[in-house]
Amino acid sequence: MSLAALLCLLFAVANCWLLIRLAAVRRQRDAAGVTIALLQKEMALLQDQALHDHLTGLPNRALLEDRIRQALVKATREETNFLILFLDLDRFKPVNDMYGHDVGDRLLIDVGRRIRQAVREEDTVARIGGDEFVVLAFISSPPDAALMVRKIGDVLNHPFEAGGNAIHIAASIGQSVFPQDGRSLEELLWKADGAMYLHKKRTHKNNGVVSI
């Protein structure tokens, strides 16, 4: 074999090795990219799960409190009002006892959906545990709170269908308005929660909404 032919062969071998090596590097890079993308997706999923109720998909207490803090900053800066409604279902335990927890879970999901439909898209509806829901909404003036309570009451007054059963429930609602009822997250939640339990204790209705 001539020197020229040998050099050509060596060049071809080297070129082939280089192509193989480049392909391997690309595969490693693509695999790394896929791994990073999967990790980012998994992290986003975990974060979403950490901030939302696993049953209804609504914001949980952690996300609610974060949004209230944001509302405090915005309302203070713009000198506006926002409303917190603390809602607790009446006679929910008998539903679980009579029909089972599967029916109770479907009822909670439907309650969350109805409340969500009764408010604006930019408002927050959260489930903070058990049969307790909280609504956070900016309002033009304090009297607007009564209108929102009535709208929620209207959607909850209709019977719920769960497990082939027509279920009637009631709800107790307490409210607080920034800044009249408080200027901190803790105070506003405490006022709304206290108002809800006060009326839950004082008023008993077979149907409808009990509110302040």
Side-chain angles (χ1 to χ4, degrees), residues 56 58 85 87 89 105-121 123-126 133-135 148-163 165-171 173 207-209:
T56 62
L58 296 172
L85 296 179
L87 185 150
L89 301 183
D105 286 349
R106 288 197 291 274
L107 178 61
L108 290 172
I109 293 170
D110 202 11
V111 167
R113 179 183 61 80
R114 291 194 190 185
I115 297 173
R116 179 69 266 175
Q117 291 175 346
V119 301
R120 299 162 302 188
E121 186 176 352
D123 299 331
T124 295
V125 178
F133 296 81
V134 175
V135 176
M148 183 165 287
V149 169
R150 284 197 298 271
K151 289 178 66 177
I152 293 174
D154 288 343
V155 299
L156 294 183
N157 269 336
H158 298 289
F160 289 82
E161 293 292 333
N165 304 290
I167 300 174
H168 296 267
I169 61 168
I173 300 178
N207 294 291
V209 171

Side-chain angles (χ1 to χ4, degrees), residues 11 86 96 102 112 121-122 124 141 144 156 182 203 205 207:
F11 178 78
F86 208 112
N96 272 337
D102 287 344
E121 186 176 352
E122 63 267 26
T124 295
S141 62
D144 291 341
L156 294 183
T203 309
K205 290 185 179 181
N207 294 291

Side-chain angles (χ1 to χ4, degrees), residues 2-56:
S2 66
L3 180 59
L6 180 60
L7 290 173
C8 288
L9 178 61
L10 290 174
F11 178 78
V13 171
N15 191 50
C16 183
W17 178 87
L18 181 60
L19 290 174
I20 293 172
R21 185 63 185 143
L22 286 173
V25 169
R26 289 195 185 98
R27 285 195 299 271
Q28 291 175 350
R29 182 194 61 193
D30 293 343
V34 170
T35 300
I36 292 172
L38 288 174
L39 286 174
Q40 291 174 335
K41 185 177 180 180
E42 185 69 21
M43 289 175 64
L45 178 61
L46 290 173
Q47 184 179 30
D48 183 76
Q49 291 174 344
L51 295 175
H52 291 82
D53 174 55
H54 72 281
L55 177 64
T56 62

